[in-house]
């Protein structure tokens, strides 16, 4: 760490402090928490792109899987749904697994030819109908149970902290499947495949109400921290706040944000520490060697595809962990909020701007770009209102321009990416 | 000529190669002697530190490969020297891409030289056999009506019978008045048809003489032709 | 009789819409495959390129409608199409000049170009939303149907109707014209052949004196034409919404990969494979089975393999199958 890098981080904290004084500390801490989450996601993408040069554009899918993990791990189970529909769902899942295993075994064991193809198609088609035959009625039963508040299986009722790990596992599983299929082929196949899987994961979350309540959203996901209402009733808390001379309501929400912040810092520190260790280990050096010259690495006997699979799974898992953390911060799962722009593209810009291949760079990019992301919209408004100030009040063009300020984000982010890629491809904190 | 790839170490050291009109000049030598490098230097595909390239007395040292094509040079690379997905005829047309005049005359000449190509002219070039592909490659290069035809190991990877036939064709090409400069692994056969032979070792001219003289030179025989 | 009725239902709900959708996908996939063939990267901005061209078509359509220009019964958009194409060519050439050219000269790896195309995607997407907004736009004026379902019934006496929309037939006719022109260009003209030669073997093309910058420029112009036509046809047939065009990337890429990346014929076949699979997997066959099966066997459920929300899963599954079993695609494309 040199002075330049320290001052870059210092600058961001200065921004946050300015926000704290000029707007409110609640806003500042809210920003900080999302900065921390962004940093973790950026670390995940950096593992894939920075270490190994893998281009995956399905980050949003892995983040969303983390969100699902938060729901299925920590929400209280809906007893009736489990009793009536649970067995159906479980057997359906079992059928799906058996079908896929059977199909792959046929592919491996039966000698190539028309018989193998027919056999495999028969198993897959039969399995699909069996799966749907068991899933559909069970799902219908579950979705009828108290649809206004439940209508889904609920979760396992475990502490929400566990879900962060589960989110990582979910994402790792999905990454394993995608990586198995598309790694080892031309580089952009991974991009296309991840684009596809992300759309499907989000379609599942939006439509499988028995699992995630779909567009009805899951609200009230348990928190790993205290609740504002409880704090506001607690004697000791009120006394302490009074002693500090703050307002109780504001202080309680500040306290909650602060506790989230501490948890996030711990997770970020662990992942960052592990990433640094990995990057500077023989494994990390091998990864970079593969990235810089795949053919030479292959000639030296490295199994490039296998290494790529490893690094792709690890990076996706980190994104899954961050996804679960984010859902537990929000306390709700809203499928509509998973926009590729926000969770794939923005994270990519963070990594590129911060410095691909450098973990600290990814963290810096996460902080900086999140801040920017939040501030671009008001800035766009401000710029447009100056630009249009000469126009007649109520003119349709003026209104159109002011309404469109939100889209400035897209243009700005795209421009930042292209400019960095072109003029500073190493980013703010270049790889060592 | 002195030069190498990019800013790397020099591979060629004061090496000289020349060919007269209608003659065949062959560059032979051990692996890593800089044979292919010399060809690329002549064609302007690498940086030359000193020396010059001229054609018909005109200095073309500073021209790009494309401009050298226009000046009458044609080059057949060792690998990937045809458009596999294009038909034989289209390959020849692409060879003549820079020409604005009527190319049917030249195409007839190429078909006369390589009758098999006329037969296969609608077929995709990638579907042909190794020897036929080489004929397409040479034919493509001839379409520019070059003064000098440069061939980089035209017989690499083809069977001995096909090799003999290819050499016969190359002699035919030379008879039409085109100078031929080629690099060959099969040194003995190549020198047999060569008017002039260059033995290159570590980027320097070691022996320069007529093909038959080199073949009978005991030292050349011992070191480079395996006795 | 019942079999005939079932066939009419299939034609009405699967075959006719899939032919139209397949033509649109094929035109889109052609654009993607040409960029892969000549510029050697997967252009993730292709959906936005389509949207951009279509947006100009829509703006011009509004202008023409405002001044009372119309070619009824055909939609005004056809009149506006040339303007959309010109606008699209302009933006695509500008992007090449300011973005892609640099990486081409620097001989960057394809993945860097892919990432740059992602940056372009977002700038274009922002521009489109800025100009025309993120909402749905319907711009298909003119006559709606060539044959209405009801007219078909009275005409033929069948119980089932077969409707053919004007936009569907325009799609097919336009696609045939555009594709025929493209193949004529690629196979019969010197410039077209030089484009194929460049795509086949870049180094040898240089040795033959083919100017790469010219090939690249012509490729972009063709891509812009294909994209605008594909986008306009899709928008006429359905509606124009910027995000939908981004989502079209997956089926279009699937089509290009299925056919073999870089192979134009493959892209067309791939487009129809994807379109037919997507529609036939998400169609509810209840009515068809009711005709085909004896009355007491008639299905009670919708007999739908997948809900339409999962139509992307169909293109994705086909993509996965191709990657697993034949990564070069049905027709030989570039696999590495």
């Amino acid at each position: 760490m040199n002075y330049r890098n320290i001052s870059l981080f210092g600058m961001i904290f200065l921004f946050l402090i300015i926000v704290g004084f000029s707007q409110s500390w609640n806003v500042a801490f809210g920003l900080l928490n999302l900065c921390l989450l962004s940093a973790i996601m950026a670390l995940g993408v950096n593992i894939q792109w920075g270490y190994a040069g893998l281009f995956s554009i399905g980050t949003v899918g892995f983040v969303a899987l983390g969100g699902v993990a938060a729901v299925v791990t920590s929400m209280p189970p809906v007893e009736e749904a489990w009793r009536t529909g649970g067995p159906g769902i479980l057997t359906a899942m079992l059928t799906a697994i058996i079908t896929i295993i059977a199909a792959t075994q046929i592919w491996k064991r039966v000698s190539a030819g028309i018989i193998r193809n027919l056999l495999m198609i028969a198993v897959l088609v039969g399995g699909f109908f069996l799966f749907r035959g068991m899933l559909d009625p069970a799902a219908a039963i579950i979705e009828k149970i108290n649809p206004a508040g439940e209508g889904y299986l609920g979760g396992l009722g475990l502490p929400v902290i566990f879900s962060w790990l589960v989110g990582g596992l979910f994402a790792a599983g999905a990454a394993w499947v995608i990586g198995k299929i598309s790694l080892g082929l031309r580089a952009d196949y991974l991009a296309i495949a991840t684009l596809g899987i992300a759309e499907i994961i989000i379609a599942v979350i939006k439509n499988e109400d028995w699992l995630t309540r779909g567009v009805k959203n899951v609200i009230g996901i348990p928190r790993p921290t205290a609740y504002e209402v409880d704090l506001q009733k607690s004697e000791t808390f009120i006394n302490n706040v009074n002693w500090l001379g703050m307002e109780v309501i504001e202080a309680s929400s500040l306290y909650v944000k602060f506790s989230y912040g501490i948890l996030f810092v711990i997770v970020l520190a662990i992942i960052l520490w592990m990433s640094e260790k990995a990057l500077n280990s023989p494994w990390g050096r091998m990864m970079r060697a593969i990235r810089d010259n795949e053919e030479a690495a292959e000639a030296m006997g490295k199994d490039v595809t296998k290494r790529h699979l490893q690094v792709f799974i690890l990076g996706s898992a980190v994104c899954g962990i961050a996804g679960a953390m984010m859902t537990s911060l929000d306390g709700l799962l809203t499928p509509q909020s998973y926009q590729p722009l926000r969770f794939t593209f923005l994270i990519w810009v963070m990594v590129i701007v911060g410095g691909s291949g450098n973990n600290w760079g990814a963290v810096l990019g996460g902080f900086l770009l999140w801040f920017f992301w939040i501030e671009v919209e008001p800035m766009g408004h401000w710029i447009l209102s100056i630009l249009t100030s000469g126009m007649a009040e109520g003119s349709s063009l003026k209104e159109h321009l002011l309404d469109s300020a939100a889209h400035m984000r897209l243009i700005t982010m795209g421009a930042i990416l292209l400019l960095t890629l072109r003029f500073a491809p190493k980013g703010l904190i270049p790889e060592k | 000529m002195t030069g190498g790839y990019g800013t790397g170490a020099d591979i060629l050291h004061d090496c000289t190669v020349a060919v007269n009109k209608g003659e065949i000049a062959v560059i032979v030598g051990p692996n890593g002697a800089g044979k292919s490098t010399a060809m690329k230097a002549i064609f302007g595909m690498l940086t030359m530190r000193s020396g010059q390239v001229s054609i018909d007395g005109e200095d073309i040292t500073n021209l790009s490969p494309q401009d050298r094509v226009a000046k009458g040079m044609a080059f057949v690379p060792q690998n990937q020297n045809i458009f596999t997905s294009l038909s034989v005829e289209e390959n020849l047309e692409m060879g003549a891409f820079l020409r604005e005049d009527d190319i049917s005359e030249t195409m007839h000449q190429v078909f006369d030289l390589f009758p098999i190509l006329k037969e296969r002219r609608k077929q995709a070039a990638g579907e042909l056999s190794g020897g036929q592909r080489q004929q397409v490659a040479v034919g493509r290069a001839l379409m520019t009506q070059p003064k000098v035809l440069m061939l980089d190991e035209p017989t690499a990877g083809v069977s001995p019978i096909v090799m003999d036939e290819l050499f016969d064709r190359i002699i035919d090409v030379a008879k039409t008045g085109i100078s031929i400069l080629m690099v060959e692994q099969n040194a003995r056969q190549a020198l047999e048809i060569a008017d002039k032979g260059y033995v290159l070792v570590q980027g320097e001219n070691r022996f320069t003489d007529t093909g038959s003289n080199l073949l009978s030179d005991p030292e050349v025989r011992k070191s480079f032709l395996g006795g | 009789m019942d079999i005939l009725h079932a066939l009419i239902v299939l034609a009405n709900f699967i075959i006719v819409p899939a032919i139209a959708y397949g033509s649109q996908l094929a035109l889109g996939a052609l654009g993607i495959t040409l960029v892969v063939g000549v510029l050697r990267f997967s252009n993730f901005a292709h959906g936005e390129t389509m949207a951009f061209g279509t947006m100009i078509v829509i703006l011009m359509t509004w202008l023409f409608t405002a001044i009372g220009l119309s070619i009824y019964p055909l939609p005004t958009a056809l009149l506006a199409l040339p303007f959309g194409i010109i606008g699209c060519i302009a933006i695509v050439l500008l992007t090449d000049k300011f973005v892609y050219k640099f990486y081409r000269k620097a001989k960057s790896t394809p993945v860097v170009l892919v990432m740059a195309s992602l940056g372009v995607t977002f700038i274009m997407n922002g521009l489109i939303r800025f100009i025309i907004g993120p909402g749905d736009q319907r711009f298909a004026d003119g006559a709606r149907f060539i044959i209405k379902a009801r007219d078909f019934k009275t005409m033929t006496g069948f119980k089932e109707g077969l409707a053919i929309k004007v936009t569907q037939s325009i799609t097919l006719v336009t696609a045939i014209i555009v594709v025929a022109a493209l193949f004529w260009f690629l196979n019969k003209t010197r410039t077209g052949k030089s484009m194929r030669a460049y795509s086949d073997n870049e180094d040898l093309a240089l040795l033959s004196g083919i100017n790469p910058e010219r090939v690249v420029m012509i490729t972009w112009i063709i891509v812009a034409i294909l994209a605008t036509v594909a986008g306009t046809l899709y928008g006429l047939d359905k509606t124009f919404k910027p995000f939908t065009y981004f989502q079209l990337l997956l089926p279009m890429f699937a089509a290009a990969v299925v056919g073999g990346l870089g192979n134009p014929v493959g892209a067309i076949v791939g487009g129809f494979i994807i379109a037919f699979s997507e529609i036939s997997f998400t169609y509810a066959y209840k009515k068809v089975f009711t005709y085909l099966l004896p009355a007491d066997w008639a299905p009670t459920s919708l007999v739908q393999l997948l809900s339409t929300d999962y139509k992307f899963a169909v293109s994705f599954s086909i993509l996965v199958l191709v990657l697993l079993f034949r990564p070069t695609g049905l027709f030989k494309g570039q696999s590495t």
Side-chain angles (χ1 to χ4, degrees):
Chain A
M1 274 262 142
N2 55 30
Y3 288 114
R4 184 169 164 269
N5 298 350
I6 292 171
S7 57
L8 280 171
F9 275 100
M11 190 180 72
I12 290 169
F13 284 101
L14 194 69
F15 282 156
L16 285 170
I17 290 168
I18 292 172
V19 171
F21 277 113
S22 64
Q23 299 184 31
S24 82
W25 289 101
N26 248 315
V27 175
F29 270 100
L31 261 174
L32 176 67
N33 283 343
L34 280 162
C35 281
L36 288 165
L37 285 177
S38 305
I40 298 176
M41 291 180 200
L43 272 176
V45 170
N46 186 43
I47 291 174
Q48 295 170 343
W49 170 249
Y51 294 15
L54 295 180
F55 191 57
S56 142
I57 46 175
T59 317
V60 62
F62 299 114
V63 171
L65 273 181
V68 177
V71 170
V72 298
T73 320
S74 67
M75 286 304 282
V78 180
E79 303 278 349
E80 197 189 339
W82 272 110
R83 207 176 50 246
T84 52
I89 297 283
L90 289 179
T91 36
M93 293 301 147
L94 205 65
T95 317
I97 294 169
I98 291 172
T99 308
I100 290 168
I101 291 175
T104 46
Q105 286 304 315
I106 289 171
W107 184 257
K108 276 185 195 153
R109 304 257 161 118
V110 183
S111 52
I114 191 111
I115 296 178
R116 176 170 80 170
N117 295 346
L118 287 179
L119 216 59
M120 211 173 73
I121 291 170
V123 166
L124 285 175
V125 170
F128 178 77
F129 280 106
L130 222 60
F131 170 75
R132 285 285 303 271
M134 285 187 256
L135 186 76
D136 289 3
I141 294 171
I142 293 169
E143 283 163 19
K144 280 213 186 71
I145 299 167
N146 182 17
E150 291 165 335
Y152 78 129
L153 277 176
L156 300 174
L158 297 169
V160 73
I161 290 270
F162 283 118
S163 76
W164 297 1
L165 269 180
V166 176
L169 287 177
F170 277 13
W176 181 77
V177 175
I178 290 301
K180 266 285 186 194
I181 293 165
S182 55
L183 288 170
L185 301 169
R186 58 181 283 155
D188 19 17
Y189 279 178
L190 180 71
I192 301 170
T194 45
L195 177 81
I197 194 73
E199 282 192 33
I200 291 173
I201 290 173
I202 290 162
V204 168
I205 297 177
K206 275 187 188 161
N207 294 298
E208 297 307 309
D209 288 17
W210 58 269
L211 182 66
T212 59
R213 298 196 76 228
V215 287
K216 288 177 284 184
N217 303 344
V218 177
I219 51 169
I221 294 171
R223 284 181 180 175
T225 62
Y227 285 79
E228 285 92 342
V229 261
D230 299 336
L231 289 174
Q232 284 157 23
K233 284 183 209 142
S234 142
E235 286 289 314
T236 31
F237 184 76
I238 294 172
N239 288 337
N240 287 341
V241 169
N242 286 339
W243 182 74
L244 282 167
M246 290 166 77
E247 266 188 72
V248 175
I249 293 179
E250 201 201 320
S252 66
S253 100
L254 207 56
Y255 177 84
V256 171
K257 289 205 169 79
F258 188 71
S259 351
Y260 269 115
I262 300 237
L263 286 172
F264 289 178
V265 166
I266 293 171
V267 176
L268 175 64
I270 294 173
I271 293 177
L272 184 59
W273 180 76
M274 283 172 29
S275 305
E276 279 290 280
K277 277 276 170 206
L279 189 62
N280 296 315
S281 69
W283 180 86
R285 280 194 289 277
M286 178 182 66
M287 277 302 169
R288 280 180 290 173
I290 292 176
R291 179 196 63 191
D292 294 337
N293 193 339
E294 242 173 70
E295 277 159 37
E298 210 148 40
M300 275 155 54
K302 309 283 181 213
D303 188 342
V304 172
T305 308
K306 206 168 164 186
R307 298 295 138 215
H308 276 170
L309 184 62
Q310 224 171 36
V311 89
F312 179 60
I313 291 175
L314 282 175
S316 305
V318 171
C319 293
I321 292 172
M325 290 165 73
M326 199 182 67
T327 305
S328 64
L329 170 69
D330 295 342
L332 73 165
L333 180 75
T334 44
Q336 263 106 342
S337 67
Y338 291 106
Q339 302 280 342
L341 167 70
R342 156 80 179 81
F343 289 105
T344 300
F345 182 63
L346 180 61
I347 312 296
W348 266 100
V349 181
M350 288 170 178
V351 174
I352 302 288
V353 169
S356 42
N358 189 311
N359 293 317
W360 287 98
V363 174
L364 176 76
F367 274 75
L368 192 66
L369 264 294
W370 180 257
F371 201 80
F372 209 72
W373 176 255
I374 293 299
E375 297 299 325
V376 165
E377 209 174 319
M379 276 186 333
H381 261 292
W382 182 69
I383 292 170
L384 282 174
S385 54
I386 289 179
L387 284 177
T388 53
S389 59
M391 292 184 195
E393 209 47 56
S395 90
S396 61
L397 181 65
K398 178 170 182 170
E399 269 174 29
H400 176 80
L401 284 176
L402 286 177
D403 286 345
S404 305
H407 311 308
M408 288 295 274
R409 257 185 188 172
L410 283 156
I411 300 176
T412 324
M413 289 294 152
I416 292 177
L417 177 72
L418 287 180
L419 291 173
T420 317
L421 213 54
R422 169 84 175 258
F423 298 106
K426 288 180 185 303
L428 287 171
I429 308 184
E431 187 180 0
K432 274 165 274 185
Chain B
M1 297 182 292
T2 302
Y5 295 98
T7 52
D10 291 346
I11 298 172
L12 296 175
H13 308 280
D14 281 337
C15 137
T16 306
V17 179
V19 58
N20 294 324
K21 189 170 163 57
E23 282 186 0
I24 300 177
V26 174
I27 307 176
V28 296
N31 283 335
K35 300 183 301 272
S36 292
T37 313
M39 293 287 260
K40 285 181 182 155
I42 298 169
F43 201 64
M45 287 158 79
L46 54 84
T47 43
M48 284 226 292
R49 216 155 326 272
S50 63
Q52 65 158 0
V53 182
S54 54
I55 183 165
D56 271 353
E58 188 185 347
D59 187 3
I60 55 166
T61 317
N62 294 320
L63 293 186
S64 71
Q66 280 90 318
D67 292 336
R68 289 178 201 221
V69 173
K71 289 284 176 200
M73 274 188 162
F75 181 53
V76 179
Q78 184 182 344
N79 302 312
Q80 297 179 340
N81 48 20
I82 54 167
F83 299 111
T84 48
S85 63
L86 270 60
S87 73
V88 170
E89 197 169 11
E90 286 170 337
N91 264 278
L92 298 183
E93 275 177 53
M94 285 302 110
F97 189 78
L98 282 178
R99 286 177 53 185
E100 296 294 338
D101 53 336
D102 186 21
I103 60 166
S104 51
E105 179 85 5
T106 323
M107 197 166 305
H108 272 298
Q109 289 167 6
V110 172
F111 283 149
D112 286 343
L113 265 174
F114 307 113
I116 186 76
L117 298 189
K118 187 171 189 177
E119 229 172 85
R120 301 278 166 99
R121 71 175 187 273
K122 295 285 171 206
Q123 214 172 335
E127 293 167 6
L128 303 183
S129 71
Q132 291 165 352
R133 281 161 172 248
Q134 291 297 21
Q135 296 182 20
V136 176
V138 174
R140 184 202 63 82
L142 288 175
M143 288 303 291
T144 49
Q145 294 182 308
K147 294 172 188 152
V148 184
L149 176 64
M150 298 167 46
L151 306 169
D152 193 354
E153 304 206 8
T155 63
V158 300
S159 70
I161 302 168
V162 176
M163 186 170 80
D164 287 342
E165 169 163 2
L166 267 176
F167 279 140
D168 288 346
R169 293 280 165 273
I170 289 168
I171 296 170
D172 292 343
V173 173
K175 278 182 191 151
T176 62
I178 296 172
S179 316
I180 292 183
L181 180 60
M182 72 176 169
V183 163
E184 257 304 329
Q185 282 286 349
N186 302 302
R188 190 186 296 270
Q189 290 90 329
L191 287 175
E192 271 167 17
I193 64 162
D195 295 301
K196 205 184 268 175
Y198 296 91
V199 180
L200 239 60
V201 177
Q202 291 185 336
E204 291 173 21
N205 292 104
R206 181 66 59 88
F207 301 97
T208 308
D209 212 327
T210 62
S212 47
N213 282 354
L214 284 177
L215 277 174
S216 51
D217 184 327
E219 205 177 331
V220 174
R221 289 178 72 102
K222 200 172 108 217
S223 324
F224 304 109
L225 302 175
Chain C
M1 198 60 174
D2 277 347
I3 293 178
L4 217 53
H5 278 135
L7 281 178
I8 295 170
V9 174
L10 282 181
N12 192 30
F13 290 102
I14 296 182
I15 298 172
V16 172
I19 287 175
Y21 181 43
S23 316
Q24 292 146 12
L25 281 186
L27 290 176
L30 266 176
I32 286 177
T33 227
L34 282 180
V35 174
V36 172
V38 173
L39 289 117
R40 294 166 217 289
F41 73 96
S42 299
N43 183 12
F44 277 85
H46 196 72
E48 313 311 313
T49 313
M50 282 166 57
F52 194 89
T54 314
M55 175 186 75
I56 297 176
V57 169
I58 295 174
L59 295 177
M60 290 310 286
T61 307
W62 288 345
L63 180 73
F64 288 157
T65 324
I67 59 172
L69 219 55
S70 144
I71 42 170
Y72 192 87
L74 296 175
T76 319
L78 286 186
L79 210 57
L81 193 57
F83 298 92
I85 288 175
I86 291 170
C88 194
I89 290 175
I91 189 119
V92 158
L93 288 181
L94 279 177
T95 341
D96 186 70
K97 183 171 160 56
F98 288 110
V99 183
Y100 301 125
K101 191 175 179 180
F102 173 80
Y103 301 102
R104 193 162 60 240
K105 293 278 177 224
K107 299 219 178 295
S108 305
T109 52
V111 93
V112 174
L113 279 152
V114 175
M115 195 182 297
S117 83
L118 209 58
V120 172
T121 306
F122 282 89
I123 294 188
M124 273 197 183
N125 195 308
L127 273 178
I128 293 163
R129 288 171 191 228
F130 198 87
I131 297 172
I132 205 167
D136 249 328
Q137 309 285 354
R138 286 183 174 278
F139 60 105
D141 49 8
R144 288 261 293 142
F145 289 99
I146 289 184
I147 309 173
K148 280 188 193 162
R150 202 179 336 126
D151 296 345
F152 181 85
K153 281 189 226 172
T154 45
M155 231 160 55
T156 56
F158 287 126
K159 272 192 286 175
E160 285 298 331
L162 175 67
I164 297 178
K165 286 197 283 182
V166 173
T167 53
Q168 288 167 335
S169 25
I170 289 178
T171 296
L172 188 62
V173 173
T174 317
I176 290 173
I177 293 172
V178 169
V179 168
L182 176 70
F183 279 87
W184 173 82
F185 173 79
L186 286 178
N187 292 317
K188 297 290 171 206
T189 65
R190 208 161 76 109
T191 313
K193 286 177 194 171
S194 74
M195 221 172 106
R196 280 165 54 219
Y198 183 84
S199 157
D200 183 311
N201 188 336
E202 194 178 330
D203 294 330
L204 194 63
L206 291 177
L207 285 184
S208 307
I210 293 169
N211 180 356
E213 285 307 305
R214 207 176 109 86
V215 169
V216 165
M217 189 182 84
I218 289 165
T219 307
W220 278 122
I221 292 175
I222 295 174
V223 167
I225 296 172
L226 288 169
T228 311
V229 172
T232 305
L233 293 177
Y234 184 86
L236 277 175
D237 199 18
K238 289 162 183 127
T239 61
F240 172 83
K241 190 180 179 191
F243 190 63
T244 321
Y245 280 63
F246 176 75
Q247 287 188 312
L248 274 179
L249 264 185
L250 183 63
M252 287 191 305
F253 264 113
V257 173
V258 168
L261 270 181
N263 185 317
V265 180
I268 296 170
V269 176
F272 283 99
I273 291 180
I274 298 288
F276 269 90
S277 325
E278 201 174 274
I279 294 181
S280 52
F281 274 98
T282 53
Y283 175 66
Y285 288 90
K286 183 176 182 181
K287 222 175 183 179
V288 177
F289 282 110
T290 318
Y291 277 117
L292 291 180
L293 299 175
D296 38 338
W297 285 17
T300 48
S301 70
L302 287 172
V303 205
Q304 187 181 19
L305 289 170
L306 278 174
S307 101
T308 43
D309 300 310
Y310 290 121
K311 61 181 184 198
F312 295 115
V314 179
S315 5
F316 181 74
S317 311
I318 296 173
L319 179 76
V320 164
L321 287 178
V322 171
L323 291 189
L324 281 177
F325 300 114
R326 205 183 163 95
T328 51
L330 299 178
F331 299 81
K332 218 171 144 226
Q334 305 169 349
S335 71
T336 49

